[in-house]
């Protein structure tokens, strides 16, 4: 796992933001996590083409999915109120195809509780290849090494067997179940071992 956090200064703000996008990428065998910065959210709201051209990468035809597109205005509004959240949300890029195939990040930036809740998703065509597991492991390393996170929580539907396997494999512990509009949710937790 490599994390390059070199800070570059450029005169042109667009170049500076693009360099920030490139310099903060994290790599593992089959995936790269690239920051989903505020400007990238704005580009995605503009159009898939504007987004793809800005990051100089193709998007998987199923990315972003309908739910993400519908939630985009809320993400943008939330980022205006809490710009630090961009440090905690990433695109998932498949290293074999070079395409953006999903995302991973927090629902809310860490606070004085040193706790976050992670959410992640991979486009349907790319599931079952271990990409979500790799992305989650890399994201966990990033969070625990940041000094701002000691506990990572997750929730998934009881019917989401793929996520249950991933969370179990990585070492998350089941905490409780609760009812939601979509069905029974399982709450999970992973604590940092010091």
């Amino acid at each position: 796992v490599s994390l390059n956090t070199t800070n570059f200064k450029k005169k042109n703000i667009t170049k500076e933001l693009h360099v920030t996008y490139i310099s903060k990428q994290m790599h593992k065998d089959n995936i790269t996590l690239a920051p989903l910065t505020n400007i990238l959210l704005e580009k995605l709201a503009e159009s898939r083409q504007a987004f793809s051209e800005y990051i100089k990468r193709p998007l998987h035809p199923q990315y972003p999915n309908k739910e993400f597109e519908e939630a985009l205005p809320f993400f943008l509004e939330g980022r205006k109120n809490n710009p630090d959240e961009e440090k905690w949300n990433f695109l998932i890029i498949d290293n074999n195809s070079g395409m953006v195939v999903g995302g991973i990040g927090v629902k809310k930036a860490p606070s004085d509780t040193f706790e976050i809740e992670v959410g992640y998703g991979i486009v349907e065509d790319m599931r079952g290849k271990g990409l979500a597991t790799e992305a989650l492991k890399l994201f966990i390393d990033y969070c625990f090494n940041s000094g701002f996170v000691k506990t990572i929580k997750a929730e998934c539907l009881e019917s989401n067997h793929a996520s249950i396997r991933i969370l179990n494999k990585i070492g998350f512990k089941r905490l409780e179940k609760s009812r939601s509009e979509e069905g029974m949710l399982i709450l999970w937790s992973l604590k940092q071992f010091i």
Side-chain angles (χ1 to χ4, degrees):
V1 176
S2 65
L3 175 60
N4 180 356
T5 58
T6 307
N7 187 11
F8 294 95
K9 295 196 179 190
K10 299 283 182 181
K11 291 179 183 175
N12 182 315
I13 190 71
T14 303
K15 284 184 181 176
E16 183 176 314
L17 290 170
H18 188 72
V19 168
T20 298
Y21 159 78
I22 298 292
S23 68
K24 303 277 185 180
Q25 291 183 0
M26 298 178 283
H27 307 277
K28 202 148 170 84
D29 298 336
N30 296 305
I31 57 107
T32 296
L33 297 185
L36 183 55
T37 62
N38 295 337
I39 190 139
L40 287 182
L41 279 176
E42 291 168 6
K43 292 287 183 188
L44 191 53
E46 186 180 323
S47 73
R48 283 176 46 92
Q49 182 177 347
F51 182 76
S52 181
E53 287 173 1
Y54 185 80
I55 64 171
K56 299 178 178 20
R57 287 191 177 277
L59 305 181
H60 188 281
Q62 296 173 342
Y63 183 84
N65 64 19
K66 183 181 175 184
E67 291 84 15
F68 187 87
E69 286 179 336
E70 289 173 355
L72 195 52
F74 300 104
F75 288 138
L76 286 166
E77 189 61 34
R79 290 280 183 92
K80 287 178 186 171
N81 298 328
N82 192 356
D84 282 347
E85 285 186 11
E86 80 174 2
K87 298 173 188 167
W88 301 98
N89 293 279
F90 297 86
L91 300 168
I92 300 172
I93 299 166
D94 171 43
N95 289 343
N96 295 319
S97 67
M99 287 192 290
V100 176
V101 296
I104 189 166
V106 301
K107 294 186 177 182
K108 186 178 172 190
S111 63
D112 55 358
T113 63
F114 295 94
E115 185 176 286
I116 58 162
E117 184 177 342
V118 65
Y120 56 89
I122 300 282
V123 297
E124 195 171 333
D125 285 354
M126 299 299 286
R127 293 178 187 161
K129 299 179 182 201
L131 301 180
T133 302
E134 268 192 52
L136 187 54
K137 285 179 179 178
L138 190 55
F139 183 75
I140 289 167
D141 287 345
Y142 170 79
C143 290
F144 285 158
N145 288 323
S146 73
F148 294 101
V149 177
K150 294 189 188 314
T151 303
I152 299 175
K153 293 193 173 179
E155 62 182 22
C156 69
L157 288 170
E158 192 173 41
S159 61
N160 190 340
H161 302 292
S163 272
I164 290 171
R165 277 192 304 277
I166 291 167
L167 294 167
N168 271 323
K169 186 188 311 183
I170 291 176
F172 278 78
K173 304 294 179 220
R174 289 181 194 226
L175 297 180
E176 60 188 46
K177 290 183 183 180
S178 64
R179 189 166 304 280
S180 76
E181 291 177 11
E182 299 169 320
M184 289 300 290
L185 283 174
I186 304 171
L187 181 62
W188 302 78
S189 179
L190 180 69
K191 294 192 180 293
Q192 181 179 26
F193 293 105
I194 300 173

